[in-house]
Amino acid sequence: QAYNCLIHFYKRYLQKMAKNTSSNVFRTLDVDQYNEDNYKEDNDSTDPAALGPNDTLITSLLAANKPVEALTHLLSGATLGIKDQAARTASLTLAMRVLMAIKVSQIDDAVAQLDNESRDVLMKFIYRGFEVPNEGSSAHLLVWHEKVFTVAGVGSIVRVLTDKKRV
C-alpha cells in the first residue's frame, strides 16, 4: 500500500512538473543583454569641476582643527566613477590630507559617526591611498583599515572591490 501511494505521488509530481516546464513565461528575459560583449560603460557626462568636495571648506575645517567634520564633508561630496585623472588625483590628495590629520585616538569616533555608504567610500580612499604610498601613510592607512573593517565588516571590502566606480 505504501508503495502504491509513493507511485501515485510521483505520477502527480511529474504531471505538475510537465505543466510547469511547458510554460514559456520564463523565456521572456533577454539574457543577451548581460553578455560581456554587449556591456557598455556609463558615460561620464557630468562636469568634473561641479562635482567633488569643496576644497576650501575642507581646508578651512582642517585649519580650524576639525578634521572629523572635514572627513564627513569629504566623503559626502566624493567623486565616484569620474574618469578625469587630474580630478581623481586632487580628490585623493585632499582625502589623504584629511585622513593623516585625524589622530589615531580619534579614528574610532570618526568611523562611528559615518553611515555605511560613507564607510564604503572611506574604504575606497584607503585602498587608493595604498596604491600611492607616502612617507608614513601606509601605517596610518592600516590603522584606518582596521577600524573601518571592525565597524563595517567584510561586506564593505567586498562592496569596494567589486564596485566599478572608483575614487
Side-chain angles (χ1 to χ4, degrees), residues 6-60:
L6 189 59
I7 289 175
H8 179 68
F9 170 75
Y10 277 125
K11 282 183 183 179
R12 288 189 53 155
Y13 179 74
L14 291 175
Q15 287 174 349
K16 256 187 178 176
M17 289 299 292
K19 286 180 186 176
N20 289 341
T21 56
S22 67
S23 172
N24 64 357
V25 175
F26 68 93
R27 294 186 182 129
T28 59
L29 179 66
D30 181 20
V31 294
D32 290 331
Q33 70 180 347
Y34 299 109
N35 189 351
E36 290 180 12
D37 298 331
N38 295 336
Y39 178 75
K40 292 183 176 64
E41 290 275 338
D42 293 335
N43 290 335
D44 188 25
S45 59
T46 55
D47 181 24
L51 294 175
N54 187 349
D55 293 346
T56 55
L57 174 65
I58 292 175
T59 303
S60 66

Side-chain angles (χ1 to χ4, degrees), residues 112-125:
Q113 291 177 9
L114 301 175
D115 61 341
N116 279 336
E117 187 174 326
S118 295
R119 287 185 197 118
D120 289 349
V121 174
L122 175 58
M123 193 67 91
K124 288 180 183 185
F125 276 119

Side-chain angles (χ1 to χ4, degrees), residues 70-84:
L71 178 68
T72 306
H73 285 289
L74 173 80
L75 297 177
S76 65
T79 54
L80 299 177
I82 195 161
K83 296 193 177 25
D84 183 21

